[in-house]
């Protein structure tokens, strides 16, 4: 299978003079920071990746000093080994990490709680639903989910086996159209492991015509802080606006250090809520 990527901006390492940046062989976007020098280690549901650099800057400002953080932005099933005390392989890199803070969807967090892997989770934000992401200019004139039934429309969606949470959410939003669920299950183009990287790249390179994605992704793709020109257009629809997912945070079981606790409390603060809202999450 051919691999497609986007011109993702880097959020860490830009000030390091010696860089290894080679798309196609040596390129890592969802492991952030220095795992050897980190004071704070976080694993999180990856689709909030665009918020985290500013969030950590504001957290450091609140403490009055720079905090060295290593964080992982992947689908929950991908970083589960780290929570369970097992290593995670990224190519030839073996990452053995003891995370102190976990951020994920409620169902995932409840399973971790039942296994005794985390402390009590708390909700800190919700997203603003699902939209249809299309190429700039919307060349096929897609106006809503009904148009996805057109035979020439190629739909991309997250993988139903490796990214169950997002797949279910997207399918729920689209299932208001009779026959659309069946078309998606039969012929949609799916990502493999990390849909927040793979699916937009498929549209960008013309391999798909439309994809259901969370609204905050579109805000990111059109944000001049990250891209000089918007990457995509989007179409809102009522059923997509009604689907909202919660994001929760918890300390890892046994974590008693002050710094992870203070980060968790900051994530639950009004200041953090405003930061998330500025990136397209619920105000």
């Amino acid at each position: 299978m051919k691999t497609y990527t986007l011109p993702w901006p880097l959020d860490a390492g830009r000030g390091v003079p010696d860089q290894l940046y080679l798309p196609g062989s040596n390129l890592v976007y969802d492991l952030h920071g220095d795992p050897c020098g980190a004071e704070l280690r976080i694993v999180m549901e990856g689709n909030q990746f665009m918020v985290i650099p500013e969030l950590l800057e504001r957290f450091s400002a609140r403490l009055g000093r720079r905090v060295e953080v290593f964080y992982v932005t992947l689908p929950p099933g991908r970083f589960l080994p780290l929570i369970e005390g097992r290593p995670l392989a990224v190519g030839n890199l073996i990452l053995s990490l003891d995370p102190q803070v976990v951020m994920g969807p409620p169902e995932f967090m409840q399973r971790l709680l039942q296994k005794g892997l985390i402390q009590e989770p708390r909700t800190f934000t919700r997203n603003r639903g699902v939209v249809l992401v299309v190429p700039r200019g919307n060349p096929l004139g897609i106006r809503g989910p009904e148009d996805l039934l057109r035979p020439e429309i190629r739909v991309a969606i997250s993988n139903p086996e490796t990214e169950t949470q997002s797949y279910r959410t997207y399918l729920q939003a689209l299932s208001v159209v009779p026959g659309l669920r069946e078309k998606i299950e039969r012929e949609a183009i799916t990502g493999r492991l990390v849909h927040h990287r793979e699916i937009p790249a498929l549209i960008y390179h013309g391999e798909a015509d439309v994809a259901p994605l969370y609204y905050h992704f579109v805000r990111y793709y059109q944000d001049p802080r990250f891209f000089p020109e918007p990457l995509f257009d989007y179409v809102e629809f009522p059923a997509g606006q009604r689907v909202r997912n919660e994001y929760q945070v918890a300390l890892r079981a046994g974590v008693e250090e002050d710094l992870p606790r203070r980060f968790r409390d900051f994530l639950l603060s009004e200041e953090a809520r405003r930061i998330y809202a500025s990136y397209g999450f619920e105000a």
Side-chain angles (χ1 to χ4, degrees), residues 50-101:
M50 70 291 292
V51 185
I52 308 305
E54 181 177 350
L55 187 77
L56 293 176
E57 287 181 8
R58 301 281 281 275
F59 176 60
S60 291
R62 173 172 286 202
L63 295 184
R65 68 174 183 87
R66 177 179 173 81
V67 178
E68 296 296 334
V69 183
F70 180 79
Y71 62 101
V72 175
T73 54
L74 288 171
R78 298 302 98 200
F79 62 68
L80 179 61
L82 298 175
I83 302 173
E84 294 178 334
R86 296 181 285 119
L88 174 66
V90 183
N92 291 322
L93 172 68
I94 305 298
L95 183 66
S96 296
L97 184 75
D98 186 21
Q100 300 153 304
V101 180

Side-chain angles (χ1 to χ4, degrees), residues 37 186 227:
R186 183 177 63 250
F227 302 100

Side-chain angles (χ1 to χ4, degrees), residues 13-20:
R14 286 173 292 185
V16 178
D18 299 311
Q19 295 193 21
L20 179 61

